[in-house]
Amino acid sequence: MPTVLDSLNQSLHQLMDADERVVLLGEDILDPYGGAFKVTRGLSSRFPARVFTTPISEAAIVGLASGLALRGLLPIAEIMFGDFLFLAGDQLVNHAAKFRWMYNDTARVPLVIRTAMGGRRGYGPTHSQSVEKHFMGVPGLWVVAPHVLSSPGELLRQATLECPDPVVFIESKTCYGRSLLPGLPEMTTTVVSDAESPFPTMLFRQDRASDPDGLMWCYGGMVPLCVEAIQHLRAAEHLSVDLAVVSQLSPVPSTHIRRILDDARPQLSVYVEEASVAHGWSAEMLAQVQEYAGAINGTARAAPYEGSTSDRPIRHERIGAAYSPIPSNREQEREALPQIHDIVTRVLECF
């Protein structure tokens, strides 16, 4: 099976081959280097007039890319490490995401910002963060994360050609070398996508006849760890935990949440992210699940789960990194970031 890196690289080649409006820009993306994580390898050799190396200025990269998008091109800009998105924050949040409204829908900014995110590589506190939470909830800005259970390349193609607004495309450093998985054993796969929330959620249900014991939500680099966790819970603890892998982080895919919960209501809803859970993705996901469940302070407000065998309020559990900078020391980094054992332990504590 191809790796995440292969899928992204092949998609970039196909995009540039198929559409002359697609241009690339970023630091050190020319051959023979091909980018810090080699996602752009081979592209400057094939398309030298449309691949631009830039100075070390994230604000300049995103500002230039925004201008190219306004002039009708489809720029894909690479920010070498996600930690540096803050340096482009003004161009991204106050300009690219707002031009549509500032110019009364006469201008759109079809821009993709690719960036490597997360830790587990020993890169230290300024090159290991998961800062995507700080860009969620910005009107006009999409945040999307590929993973190993679907095609990262197809997600990049969708972000480039089908979204008329800026997209922050979060790539997990630790997943670049991982092979894509065609599915999960003893689980049924459903792809959830619609016009309101176009970037898909992959739902994996355990083969069973009753409601699940739990439902685990995750994205990006946490997907491989969550897969191992639910497999352990099934084999060793006989717990049936479904897995919902989200690719559209922001806007929150509310329609996906409603559809998933309409089909089966879990006793436990678990949210796993690599960042700390404070003010993050898991908090907004929990709020959306709880609001749709219709329970406030344990009192049912609605019953959208026809046929469900459970009428108990859903218990929620959020799992993430320690509320601290990411240490440089590898053992301390491991302790700071959520591991498979942490996920399994926290789930078991809920029963």
Side-chain angles (χ1 to χ4, degrees):
M1 292 294 290
T3 65
V4 169
L5 176 60
D6 294 335
S7 180
L8 291 170
N9 180 257
Q10 290 169 12
S11 179
L12 287 171
H13 277 273
Q14 291 166 0
L15 282 165
M16 297 198 72
D17 194 42
D19 196 323
E20 292 185 352
R21 296 175 298 166
V22 177
V23 295
L24 303 184
L25 59 159
E27 300 165 11
D28 295 332
I29 64 173
L30 301 184
D31 292 331
Y33 192 59
F37 297 95
K38 312 310 174 188
V39 179
T40 59
R41 63 189 177 192
L43 290 160
S44 65
S45 298
R46 288 191 64 199
F47 310 98
R50 290 191 282 140
V51 180
F52 305 102
T53 189
T54 67
I56 304 175
S57 174
E58 288 73 19
I61 293 170
V62 176
L64 174 59
S66 297
L68 292 170
L70 287 169
R71 292 304 299 266
L73 298 178
L74 298 175
I76 301 174
E78 178 179 300
I79 300 298
M80 189 178 293
F81 285 86
D83 312 68
F84 306 151
L85 280 174
F86 294 115
L87 297 168
D90 182 57
Q91 288 292 335
L92 190 56
V93 175
N94 285 332
H95 295 82
K98 292 183 170 59
F99 284 152
R100 174 183 173 185
W101 284 277
M102 292 167 64
Y103 298 107
N104 196 29
D105 265 346
T106 61
R108 302 298 285 266
V109 187
L111 160 67
V112 176
I113 306 292
R114 292 183 40 257
T115 191
M117 199 73 76
R120 308 182 195 275
R121 296 284 293 264
Y123 290 166
T126 62
H127 291 69
S128 305
Q129 302 168 91
S130 296
V131 302
E132 56 267 26
K133 69 166 77 175
H134 301 286
F135 296 89
M136 297 179 194
V138 177
L141 184 63
W142 298 73
V143 182
V144 174
H147 54 85
V148 297
L149 285 168
S150 67
S151 170
E154 171 57 26
L155 198 70
L156 180 58
R157 186 207 64 79
Q158 184 181 3
T160 304
L161 300 182
E162 298 180 13
C163 186
D165 298 312
V167 177
V168 178
F169 196 84
I170 304 299
E171 301 168 4
S172 168
K173 299 186 189 77
T174 57
C175 285
Y176 281 130
R178 286 185 178 269
S179 296
L180 301 182
L181 302 177
L184 297 178
E186 300 180 53
M187 301 191 81
T188 302
T189 306
T190 302
V191 180
V192 184
S193 181
D194 53 61
E196 182 177 331
S197 303
F199 297 101
T201 294
M202 305 292 291
L203 176 64
F204 299 87
R205 291 200 184 279
Q206 304 276 3
D207 294 337
R208 62 174 187 282
S210 59
D211 280 351
D213 297 310
L215 173 60
M216 188 174 294
W217 307 81
C218 64
Y219 70 89
M222 291 307 301
V223 173
L225 285 77
C226 289
V227 167
E228 292 196 42
I230 64 170
Q231 290 174 340
H232 175 85
L233 289 166
R234 178 178 59 200
E237 307 295 342
H238 305 290
L239 287 174
S240 177
V241 180
D242 292 342
L243 183 67
V245 183
V246 178
S247 60
Q248 181 178 307
L249 309 186
S250 182
V252 173
S254 303
T255 52
H256 299 185
I257 293 171
R258 293 196 291 268
R259 177 174 166 185
I260 290 169
L261 295 182
D262 277 343
D263 290 340
R265 179 175 180 174
Q267 302 176 40
L268 172 68
S269 189
V270 183
Y271 315 86
V272 187
E273 59 183 315
E274 187 170 305
S276 64
V277 299
H279 312 286
W281 170 82
S282 61
E284 183 59 28
M285 289 292 293
L286 186 157
Q288 296 269 347
V289 169
Q290 180 65 15
E291 286 175 5
Y292 191 63
I296 299 178
N297 297 326
T299 302
R301 184 176 64 188
Y305 310 101
E306 296 180 9
S308 174
T309 59
S310 174
D311 58 359
R312 289 178 292 178
I314 298 175
R315 175 169 178 172
H316 303 278
E317 186 73 14
R318 293 189 293 155
I319 301 172
Y323 190 62
S324 69
I326 307 299
S328 298
N329 177 277
R330 293 301 292 266
E331 184 58 34
Q332 291 179 336
E333 180 188 46
R334 179 176 173 81
E335 292 176 1
L337 298 175
Q339 308 297 332
I340 297 169
H341 172 75
D342 300 320
I343 300 170
V344 170
T345 300
R346 293 280 293 277
V347 170
L348 290 177
E349 289 172 350
C350 295
F351 291 94

